[in-house]
Amino acid sequence: MDRNPSPPSSDAEDEQAAGDSIGNTVYSKHWLFSILTKLIEVISPEKSDSNSNREEVQTELDEEMENDICKMWDMSMDEDVALFLQEFNAPDIFMGVFAKSKCPRLIEICVGILGNMACFQDICMSVSKDDNLGQILLQHLCDSDSPTLLETSRLLLTCLSQAEVANIWVERIRENPSVYDCVCFIMSSSTNVELLVKVGEVVDKLFDLDEELMLKWIKNGSCQSVGQSTDDSPEEHTDFKIVPCVLEAAKQVCSDNPEGLDVYMHILQLLTTVDEGIQAIVQSPDGGKETWTLLYGLVCHELCQPDDPPIIIQEQKSVLASILSVLSAMFASQIQQEYVKMRKNMPLIGSLIRILQNMEDCGKRSFDNSKKSQPEETKKLGTVEEDFHLKILKDICCELLSNMLQELTKENILEGLNQGYLNEQKCSCAFQNLLPLYFTSVESFLEALREADQTLADSLEKRFPSLRLQT
C-alpha cells in the first residue's frame, strides 16, 4: 500500500529554501513571482468577466491583494529584490497598470515600488532611459490623487538626484509644458504639507540643475491645456506664475514643516540669481510686497527670536541665508517702494543684528567645544566646515544690514533707539561685523547717528578709532 511521502530532510529543506531565496535575502522568488502574476491578472481580467466586475476590479483592491503588493513595496527597498523585479520586467507590468487601471491605490503603490527600485543606479538608468515610461510618469503629476502625486514626486526627485540620469529628466521636463502647469497647480492649491514639501524639493533640484529651465518657468505666464478631465485639473487655470505659487506653498508649510520652508526659501533664492527672477518678484502686481511681507515676518517674528538660545542659529542658518538673500536683492532693487521704507523696517535691522550676535556667541561656543572634545587631527576640519556655513549667512546678513544702515535718517535712528532696536551694544556688534568691508555704510550711519545721539556716536568712535572724523 502506498504511504504518504516522508517530509524532506532538513538538508533538503535548506537546499530548497536557498534555491528560492532572492539574492542574500530570505524573500521567496516564488512568492514574489506569484504577486507579479496576480498583478497582471488584476489589469487583465478574464474575458468572461462582466463589464461591471471589470470596472470594480480596476477601481478597488481587495484587502489580500493590497496587503501583498504593499509587502512587495516594502521588499523593493532591498537591492536584491529590486534587481529581481527588474529581471522579471516589473516596470513593464507597472506600465500596464498605469495604462489600464483606474485604481488610485494600485497606481500609487506601483509608482512607489518604482521609486524604491530607482534608488539603485543601474535600475534608475534603465527606468530613466525608457521614454514611454518617463512620459507616463510625468503625466501622473497631473493626477488628482495626492498619494500618487507624492510617490511620483519622490520618484522624480530620486532620479534627478543621480547625476548619471538627471539630464535625461531635465530635458524631458523641459519639453513637457504640462509639468510646469501641474507643479504650479499643486503649489498654489494643495494643503497636503508632505506633498508640497516633496514637490518643492523637485522644483528646487530642477532649478539648481538647469538655469535654462528656471528661466523658462519664470517667463511662463499662462497655462496650456494639460489634457486632464478631473475636477481638480489645472487646465481651468489660465495665469500660473511661479513666484505666487511658491509663496502660497511656503505659507502652507511654514508653520508645520521647517524643512519644507527651507526648500521654498531656497527656490526663491535661486530665482534671485538671475535678473529675470528678481524682476518676477518685484514687478508683480503688488510690487513684491507679498514676498517682502512674508519674509520680513519670518525673520522678525518666527526665526532667531530674542528668547531663543543662540545655538538656534545652527539649526536655522540655511533658511535664514536664503531669506536674507532674497530680502537683500529686493531691497537693492526696490528702494523706492513704500514697504522697504526705513521707518517700517527698524525691526528688521534689530533682527539682523541679533542674528550677528547669535553667530558670534555660537561661533565661540563651537570653537571652545571643539577644542575640548575633538581629537587634534579633526579640530581644524570640523571648525572650517562649521564656520563655512555660518560665514555664508554672515556675509549675506552683513550685505543687507549695510545697505539698510546707510539709508537711515536721524528720525529713523531716534525711533530705533527708543524702541530698543539700536543701542551701544547692538551698534558695536554691527560695526564689528561690517568693518572694514562696509566702511562707507558705517560712516554714513554714524553721521546720521551724531545728529540723533552725539554721546553714543562718540562712544562708538572710541571703540572703533578708524571711524573718527578726519579733520
Side-chain angles (χ1 to χ4, degrees):
M1 184 174 70
D2 293 333
R3 296 175 56 194
N4 290 329
S6 299
S9 66
S10 58
D11 290 341
E13 287 179 345
D14 291 343
E15 182 178 346
Q16 182 179 4
D20 189 47
S21 296
I22 300 173
N24 295 320
T25 74
V26 296
Y27 300 130
S28 164
K29 293 179 182 178
H30 180 268
W31 182 87
L32 199 60
F33 190 76
S34 70
I35 302 306
L36 289 175
T37 303
K38 287 182 180 179
L39 195 56
I40 295 173
E41 292 173 354
V42 167
I43 58 174
S44 303
E46 296 296 329
K47 292 181 179 179
S48 58
D49 288 348
S50 67
N51 289 336
S52 60
N53 288 338
R54 184 179 302 131
E55 184 67 18
E56 182 180 352
V57 169
Q58 288 181 333
T59 56
E60 294 184 6
L61 282 176
D62 65 68
E63 185 176 352
E64 181 181 358
M65 183 62 186
E66 182 172 355
N67 288 338
D68 284 342
I69 59 175
C70 281
K71 289 176 184 176
M72 185 167 69
W73 191 359
D74 291 337
M75 291 164 57
S76 63
M77 290 187 289
D78 184 282
E79 184 172 10
D80 287 331
V81 174
L83 290 170
F84 178 85
L85 289 171
Q86 176 76 0
E87 180 183 354
F88 281 89
N89 299 319
D92 290 339
I93 297 174
F94 299 152
M95 281 266 285
V97 171
F98 302 149
K100 297 181 180 180
S101 177
K102 294 182 181 179
C103 174
R105 178 61 172 161
L106 179 59
I107 294 173
E108 172 207 350
I109 295 171
C110 290
V111 176
I113 294 172
L114 267 180
N116 284 349
M117 293 171 64
C119 291
F120 306 106
Q121 184 175 341
D122 290 344
I123 300 176
C124 187
M125 179 68 75
S126 175
V127 169
S128 300
K129 287 185 174 181
D130 188 332
D131 193 56
N132 289 333
L133 179 57
Q135 294 296 338
I136 289 175
L137 289 171
L138 291 183
Q139 288 175 14
H140 279 299
L141 285 173
C142 304
D143 206 297
S144 60
D145 181 62
S146 290
T148 299
L149 288 170
L150 178 61
E151 292 307 319
T152 302
S153 301
R154 186 174 73 89
L155 171 57
L156 289 176
L157 184 62
T158 298
C159 295
L160 289 168
S161 300
Q162 298 198 32
E164 296 81 7
V165 300
N167 287 338
I168 297 175
W169 287 97
V170 169
E171 185 63 28
R172 188 174 285 147
I173 290 169
R174 189 189 295 131
E175 294 176 353
N176 194 330
S178 69
V179 174
Y180 170 84
D181 303 330
C182 296
V183 166
C184 284
F185 179 71
I186 294 168
M187 292 192 296
S188 63
S189 62
S190 178
T191 58
N192 184 322
V193 171
E194 188 178 8
L195 173 59
L196 287 171
V197 172
K198 194 59 63 177
V199 168
E201 290 175 335
V202 171
V203 174
D204 188 41
K205 192 67 177 178
L206 283 170
F207 286 4
D208 198 34
L209 286 169
D210 193 76
E211 184 176 298
E212 181 184 341
L213 176 67
M214 181 173 71
L215 287 168
K216 183 177 181 180
W217 282 22
I218 290 171
K219 295 173 182 177
N220 278 347
S222 61
C223 121
Q224 301 175 14
S225 176
V226 186
Q228 298 293 309
S229 59
T230 64
D231 292 339
D232 294 327
S233 170
E235 70 176 10
E236 296 179 2
H237 296 255
T238 58
D239 192 27
F240 282 134
K241 293 184 183 296
I242 190 68
V243 173
C245 294
V246 170
L247 290 178
E248 188 59 38
K251 292 175 188 177
Q252 287 290 333
V253 305
C254 66
S255 59
D256 297 326
N257 195 298
E259 293 79 11
L261 178 63
D262 196 350
V263 168
Y264 279 99
M265 293 303 101
H266 191 251
I267 293 173
L268 285 176
Q269 182 184 7
L270 287 173
L271 290 175
T272 63
T273 61
V274 294
D275 289 340
E276 292 86 346
I278 297 175
Q279 295 308 310
I281 294 173
V282 301
Q283 290 186 359
S284 57
D286 66 353
K289 184 178 180 180
E290 183 181 5
T291 304
W292 182 273
T293 301
L294 174 64
L295 273 55
Y296 174 97
L298 289 170
V299 175
C300 295
H301 305 301
E302 301 293 336
L303 301 172
C304 197
Q305 294 302 289
D307 55 350
D308 289 332
I311 194 67
I312 196 72
I313 204 72
Q314 284 289 356
E315 179 182 329
Q316 298 176 352
K317 58 191 174 186
S318 176
V319 66
L320 280 169
S322 295
I323 292 173
L324 297 185
S325 180
V326 177
L327 288 174
S328 185
M330 293 184 68
F331 187 84
S333 62
Q334 292 292 90
I335 196 65
Q336 299 304 319
Q337 283 286 346
E338 182 66 23
Y339 63 79
V340 299
K341 296 297 183 183
M342 296 315 304
R343 67 178 183 274
K344 296 185 176 183
N345 286 297
M346 289 307 303
L348 180 55
I349 288 179
S351 295
L352 294 175
I353 295 174
R354 183 168 61 249
I355 290 170
L356 292 173
Q357 289 174 321
N358 283 355
M359 279 193 287
E360 286 184 355
D361 188 279
C362 186
K364 291 175 183 177
R365 292 187 183 188
S366 297
F367 181 74
D368 291 341
N369 291 338
S370 67
K371 287 176 64 177
K372 294 176 182 178
S373 61
Q374 293 183 4
E376 187 64 33
E377 61 271 17
T378 63
K379 285 179 183 177
K380 291 184 179 180
L381 177 61
T383 303
V384 169
E385 288 177 347
E386 195 161 359
D387 285 351
F388 173 75
H389 296 290
L390 287 177
K391 185 178 184 303
I392 292 175
L393 175 57
K394 177 184 174 181
D395 291 347
I396 297 170
C397 185
C398 286
E399 180 182 6
L400 177 56
L401 181 59
S402 69
N403 287 334
M404 299 188 78
L405 286 181
Q406 68 182 355
E407 296 296 328
L408 291 177
T409 64
K410 170 186 173 181
E411 291 71 25
N412 301 147
I413 293 175
L414 284 171
E415 179 184 357
L417 291 170
N418 291 332
Q419 296 181 353
Y421 300 122
L422 296 174
N423 57 35
E424 184 171 350
Q425 181 186 18
K426 292 178 180 180
C427 289
S428 295
C429 175
F431 287 11
Q432 185 70 40
N433 286 277
L434 293 176
L435 293 172
L437 183 61
Y438 297 103
F439 179 87
T440 302
S441 296
V442 174
E443 191 176 41
S444 174
F445 167 75
L446 191 59
E447 183 177 345
L449 179 61
R450 289 191 194 98
E451 299 179 19
D453 191 330
Q454 182 67 50
T455 302
L456 176 56
D458 291 342
S459 179
L460 289 169
E461 283 184 341
K462 290 178 182 179
R463 287 196 181 196
F464 301 91
S466 63
L467 293 173
R468 291 177 182 171
L469 286 174
Q470 302 296 320
T471 58

